[in-house]
Amino acid sequence: MPKIPIIDLRAQYLTIQEEIDAAVRRSIEKTAFIGGEEHEAFEREFAAYTQVRFCAGVANGTDALVLALRAMGVGPGDRVLTTPYTFIATVEAITLNGAIPVFADIDPVTYTISPEAVEKAIESMPSAERATVKVLLPVHLYGQPAEMPRLLEIAARHGLMVLEDCAQSHGATIGGRKVGSYGLAATYSFYPGKNLGAYGDAGAIVTNDPVINEKIRSVRNHGRTDRYFHTVEGVNSRLDGIQAAVLRVKLRRLDEWNRLRREFASLYDGELSTCHRIVRPIIDEGAVYHLYTIRHPERERLREFLAQEGIAAAVHYPLPLHLQPAFSRLGLAEGAFPEAEAASRDVLSLPLYPEMGADTVRFVAAKIREFEES
Ligand SMILES: *Cc1c(COP(=O)(O)O)cnc(C)c1O
């Protein structure tokens, strides 16, 4: 019995092997390890793909968030409003800038930050605290776009800048317009398992704002304006030439891969529609299904059953960030964000990747039906 992984990067490599090998070889032959033509070309192509003016490549998606918040002027004493139900990097980027995270609960249907909860969080703050909130940071989780039009309206009313975390949503759209083009800036991760993944760590910030773009370009490269002339204290967070070359090859496939993800998501949706204990993700033509995450009241038993059948499944995420020991100093207790907590208890991500094929989707779904009927 073949094992079914959550994602299969080797299967993907085999479909693009010649082009990847040639791109890597080209980078090495040109010794274009840092910067170079491929790097500049990728920045141009990814900005165009995201429908924004500027793209700055950086070392990873976490740095992208850290540098974007810094370029937006977020520092000690400032507050950033975000979701407790995301990968920890979103919130690390806030605290690494010395700022304070403020959480608003998620919408249980989209798993993204709830506009009502954002409004309530702002309104329930004492006015001195409210004045320190600078940025609203929604995450398009699992490839599902957050409700950007409403979030932008709330942010505008309260004078907040908006930064989108697009680490799980390369190519996702709202009404045909790409996520990442709504906020003042947006960040991407090209961690290998993301919808657009490098062959190592990589990330980027996109923006239409020339000032933010210039700040990030300087800070990511030691605050340089010339080789040994530094206007500000920066960091070393650059996108490698070889990674840029790999990303260029893969960017050309991204729309097709996302189309397959959507196709398999809707196939799962139909195949699991008779399982009444399962909550399926919404079908949204703008979503890119980085993960296909269901809810089940007996999540652990289902996961063990699937594991015995050779099918991998994973929990994204087992503990919301406000309950993580790393953020215990925020003093938030269980019950603070009930929707995030409820999701953490019963979500389960099923195998979903462009190379898996419809038969494998049907096979996984049939095994889940078997579990439900036993
Ligand atoms: C992956 C991820 C990040 C961090 O990206 P890295 O490239 O791993 O640093 C940030 N936010 C979210 C939501 C992510 O999924």
Side-chain angles (χ1 to χ4, degrees), residues 59-65 86-90 139-141 165-168 187-191 194 201-203 290 317:
N60 56 66
T62 308
D63 278 4
L65 286 159
T86 173
F87 180 58
I88 191 167
T90 314
V139 180
H140 307 294
L141 201 73
D165 183 341
C166 301
Q168 301 189 6
T187 62
Y188 286 84
S189 163
F190 305 120
Y191 178 81
K194 301 288 161 94
D201 275 313
H290 171 59
Y317 298 91

Side-chain angles (χ1 to χ4, degrees), residues 156-227:
R157 201 149 23 82
H158 294 280
L160 309 182
M161 294 177 278
V162 175
L163 174 63
E164 297 172 74
D165 183 341
C166 301
Q168 301 189 6
S169 62
H170 315 69
T173 53
I174 304 167
R177 177 173 159 196
K178 292 265 164 66
V179 302
S181 68
Y182 284 87
L184 179 56
T187 62
Y188 286 84
S189 163
F190 305 120
Y191 178 81
K194 301 288 161 94
N195 286 28
L196 178 61
Y199 283 3
D201 275 313
I205 299 122
V206 301
T207 182
N208 284 313
D209 187 305
V211 176
I212 287 183
N213 178 51
E214 280 312 315
K215 277 189 188 162
I216 288 164
R217 286 175 177 276
S218 160
V219 171
R220 73 174 175 184
N221 193 16
H222 302 292
R224 268 186 180 130
T225 40
D226 198 357
R227 187 158 182 88

Side-chain angles (χ1 to χ4, degrees), residues 333-369:
E334 193 149 354
F337 304 102
E339 295 296 353
E341 292 164 23
S344 292
R345 279 190 293 271
D346 56 24
V347 290
L348 189 65
S349 304
L350 304 179
L352 183 76
Y353 51 95
E355 300 76 21
M356 74 187 286
D359 287 344
T360 306
V361 175
R362 286 193 197 96
F363 176 79
V364 173
K367 286 294 169 193
I368 294 172
R369 288 200 302 270

Side-chain angles (χ1 to χ4, degrees), residues 5-7 85-87 110-111 139-145 167-170 191 193-195 258 261-262 264-266 268 280-284 287-294 312-318 347-354 356:
I6 272 255
I7 177 180
Y85 192 68
T86 173
F87 180 58
T110 63
Y111 304 102
V139 180
H140 307 294
L141 201 73
Y142 305 156
Q144 170 65 46
Q168 301 189 6
S169 62
H170 315 69
Y191 178 81
K194 301 288 161 94
N195 286 28
N258 282 342
R261 285 175 183 274
R262 272 193 293 272
F264 296 155
S266 69
Y268 266 131
R280 290 163 282 136
I282 52 169
I283 290 298
D284 175 341
V288 290
Y289 299 93
H290 171 59
L291 295 169
Y292 186 82
T293 305
I294 60 167
V315 176
H316 305 93
Y317 298 91
V347 290
L348 189 65
S349 304
L350 304 179
L352 183 76
Y353 51 95
M356 74 187 286

